[in-house]
Amino acid sequence: MNASFLLRRVFYGILLMLGVVVLNFLLIRLAPGDPAVVIAGEMGGVSEEMLAQIRADYGLDKPVLVQLGIYLGNVLQGDLGQSFFFNQPVTKLIALRVWPTILLVISALVLSITAGVTLGVLAARKPNGLMSAFVAIFSTIGYAVPVFWTGIMLIILFASIFPIFPVEGMQNVRLRDANPFVQAVDIAHHLVLPAFTLAVIYLAQYARLSRASMLEVLGSDYIRTARAKGASEGTVLFKHALRNAALPILTVAGLQFGNLISGALLVETVFNWPGMGRLAFDSILRRDYPTIMGVLFFASAMVVIANILTDLSYRVADPRLRGR
C-alpha cells in the first residue's frame, strides 16, 4: 500500500479537524443565550456580581477570538476544557461515554451492511421474484420511517406486549459484579433494540443499493464467462460479482458514518443509552459549551477516521487503485 497516500489522507484529515474545531467554536459562541445565566441558575440565584464572577472564572469575559486562540492551544495539548455543568474535565466525560457510542454505531453498521447486502444479493438473483419485491417494499418503508419512531414502537412492542429485551440502559445494575462473560451477554442483550433501531434505515438503503449494483454486475461478460466455466452460483455471486459490486456500498458506508453518529443521539435518548449522544443532549439543554464542542470534536474525528478507512478499503477491494 502506498504510504504517501496514507500520509496525505491523514494530513487532510488533520486540516479538516482544525476547520471543524474553529467552525464549531464560532457557531456555538454566536448562538443566543448566556451559559453564565444557566450556571448561576443551577447555583440557586442570579445577580450581576455572580454573573461577572462566573464569566471571569470560565473565561467568558474575553473577546471571542481570544477565547478561540486559548481553546485551540488547549486542544493541541489534549485539553478540551472543563465542563460548565458536570464540573469535570470534558476529556474524562467523553472517555466514559465514547465506548458505548462506538459499540452502538459499529454494531448498527455491521448489522445494516451484513443484512442489507445479503438481502440485496438474494434479491438480485431473481429480479422479478418475491425476494426482490420484499426488498423494494422494505427499503421504502425502512428509509421513510423516522428512527425515533422505530425506537418508540420497539419499546412498546418489547416492553408491554412481548417483554423479551431490555428497553433502557446498557447494563443490569445487579450484574455489574458478575464475571466478564455474563456482563458481555447482558450488554449484548441491552444492545439488540438500540442497534436494530439505528440500523433499520441504513439496512434498507444497503439492500436497495446492493441489489442495483449486483444487477449491473451480473450482466457483465466476466460473470457469463465464470458461469460458462462451471463455477457454482455461490462462487459467482459472492466471489466474482459481490467484490465488484461492493465499491458503491463502501462509498455509501463511509459517507453514512456521520449520519449514524447523529442518529445515535436520538437512539441513545430514546433508550437512555449512556453514550456521547445522551451526553450531547444533556449538554445542549444546559448550554455546556466545552462539553458540546468536545462531543462534536470526537464525533468529527470518528467520521474522518471512517473516511480514511473507507479509502483504504477501496484499495483492498480494487487492486487498480493500489499504485495511485
Side-chain angles (χ1 to χ4, degrees):
M1 186 174 295
N2 196 336
S4 63
F5 167 79
L6 181 58
L7 292 175
R8 191 166 59 249
R9 295 296 296 157
V10 171
F11 175 72
Y12 291 152
I14 292 173
L15 289 181
L16 178 60
M17 288 301 304
L18 179 62
V20 166
V21 170
V22 173
L23 185 62
N24 286 339
F25 186 94
L26 294 177
L27 289 177
I28 290 175
R29 285 296 191 274
L30 291 173
D34 188 351
V37 175
V38 179
I39 297 171
E42 296 287 344
M43 301 169 91
V46 179
S47 65
E48 288 301 324
E49 293 79 7
M50 180 180 292
L51 290 176
Q53 184 61 46
I54 291 173
R55 293 190 184 102
D57 291 341
Y58 288 98
L60 299 173
D61 57 340
K62 297 181 175 64
V64 173
L65 292 180
V66 174
Q67 295 182 44
L68 174 59
I70 295 173
Y71 183 73
L72 285 175
N74 291 335
V75 169
L76 292 175
Q77 300 176 49
D79 181 10
L80 297 178
Q82 188 84 1
S83 170
F84 293 165
F85 177 76
F86 297 99
N87 199 27
Q88 295 183 44
V90 174
T91 306
K92 180 180 179 181
L93 286 172
I94 294 177
L96 295 173
R97 303 293 189 101
V98 67
W99 296 114
T101 295
I102 290 176
L103 176 63
L104 174 61
V105 169
I106 295 299
S107 299
L109 182 64
V110 171
L111 174 61
S112 60
I113 291 178
T114 304
V117 170
T118 301
L119 288 175
V121 170
L122 294 177
R125 291 184 61 190
K126 296 181 179 180
N128 298 318
L130 291 177
M131 178 61 72
S132 185
F134 168 77
V135 168
I137 296 172
F138 175 75
S139 300
T140 303
I141 296 175
Y143 198 71
V145 174
V147 65
F148 67 87
W149 185 88
T150 303
I152 293 173
M153 292 300 101
L154 289 176
I155 288 176
I156 294 174
L157 180 63
F158 291 104
S160 301
I161 303 176
F162 303 107
I164 301 174
F165 299 106
V167 295
E168 183 181 13
M170 182 178 175
Q171 248 183 317
N172 189 331
V173 293
R174 293 175 295 182
L175 298 177
R176 288 183 177 176
D177 295 328
N179 64 70
F181 177 77
V182 173
Q183 291 189 34
V185 172
D186 182 48
I187 292 173
H189 195 207
H190 282 77
L191 181 64
V192 171
L193 293 185
F196 181 77
T197 301
L198 186 57
V200 164
I201 184 171
Y202 304 104
L203 190 158
Q205 187 172 4
Y206 292 134
R208 173 170 287 185
L209 179 62
S210 59
R211 176 184 178 276
S213 298
M214 287 291 293
L215 286 175
E216 181 179 355
V217 171
L218 287 174
S220 302
D221 292 337
Y222 70 91
I223 296 295
R224 287 192 289 268
T225 302
R227 283 175 170 157
K229 289 181 177 180
S232 65
E233 189 66 15
T235 301
V236 170
L237 287 175
F238 293 99
K239 182 178 180 180
H240 297 290
L242 183 57
R243 183 170 183 176
N244 289 277
L247 294 180
I249 299 171
L250 289 174
T251 302
V252 173
L255 294 175
Q256 292 287 11
F257 193 81
N259 294 336
L260 270 172
I261 295 177
S262 61
L265 188 151
L266 292 174
V267 172
E268 290 178 4
T269 302
V270 171
F271 290 96
N272 197 24
W273 187 264
M276 288 200 307
R278 183 68 193 184
L279 179 63
F281 180 78
D282 294 337
S283 302
I284 291 171
L285 293 179
R286 297 175 174 89
R287 299 189 182 281
D288 191 348
Y289 289 171
T291 306
I292 296 172
M293 288 187 293
V295 170
L296 291 174
F297 176 83
F298 268 84
S300 302
M302 291 169 64
V303 173
V304 169
I305 292 172
N307 285 325
I308 293 175
L309 293 177
T310 301
D311 289 339
L312 296 177
S313 299
Y314 251 80
R315 292 173 170 259
V316 172
D318 191 347
R320 296 171 296 179
L321 300 175
R322 294 175 188 174
R324 299 181 184 179

